[in-house]
Amino acid sequence: MKNHRRLAVGAALGSIVATLGTYAYINYDLSSKRKLETESVEETEPIVELPESTEATPYRSEKTQQKAQNLPKYNQKKKSRNQLNHPTQKPSDLERTVEEEKSYDLPPEKRIALTTNWSLENVKDRFEELGKHYQDAMDAHDFKVAASYIPDFQRFMEAEKDTKPEAYQKIENDLAYHITTDYDKYLSAAIEDCSKHDFDSVFAKVTWMNVFLAEHPRLFSPDYLEKSNLANFIRKGNQALEAVEYCN
């Protein structure tokens, strides 16, 4: 089911409209409970921090792609043997729409036009337009496209990147948290109602999100996901894949 929770403009947006150079970011009620509820809260060894990427497209760097090869992967050895008995589920209407059209994935030139050379008169409209496409990607559970908007939101305060590094980084941290919490809900839905999900679609999301989470070790801190870790998400992703693959 499409998530009807829409993007809200944060209080910081008022600052960017009022004062040139002040940053803006997405406010999705981070003042409320920030800690993600997960099925498993076991502690693991500290995650090794991977190089962070600020590229808009593609989101991952070459080094990160090499790191991804070392992440635990879903075991598909049983799939070929049981494929006839457990056929892959047909994609849901939403997943079909995502595969056929991604109107929310703005081309790079459009993103740059929205986030550079703005003025006090148009910055609010530009910010909200970018936010709409970001939220549309989230509604479609296209986490990869949603994450690609992080550098675009940061570009609104590019001039203050060196003078306000913490505020600049907070934009990425907050959006990464937003994406991760929705991803956790997506996995829960796949486990609870496997018939509405396609194995290949879930597999692509799980594989990409494993890398995304490894790229953002700050998520597993008291400020965000204190009681979770990368191993928990990998385990839950595999659980969702098994549920969909062997869905009755």
Side-chain angles (χ1 to χ4, degrees), residues 78-88 245-246:
K78 296 182 180 180
K79 184 179 179 181
S80 59
R81 184 171 66 247
N82 296 297
Q83 195 167 18
L84 294 177
N85 295 330
H86 302 281
T88 301
E245 182 180 359
Y246 301 108

Side-chain angles (χ1 to χ4, degrees), residues 4 16 21 53 63 77 79 127 133 136 155 173 224 243 248:
H4 295 284
I16 197 171
S53 170
K63 291 183 178 180
K77 291 182 179 180
K79 184 179 179 181
F127 189 82
H133 292 290
D136 286 345
R155 200 176 294 117
N173 294 346
Y224 294 97
N248 293 323

Side-chain angles (χ1 to χ4, degrees), residues 3 133-143 146 178-179 182:
N3 182 359
H133 292 290
Y134 163 82
Q135 188 61 48
D136 286 345
M138 291 293 291
D139 289 342
H141 301 133
D142 195 334
F143 306 111
H178 185 213
I179 292 168
D182 270 35

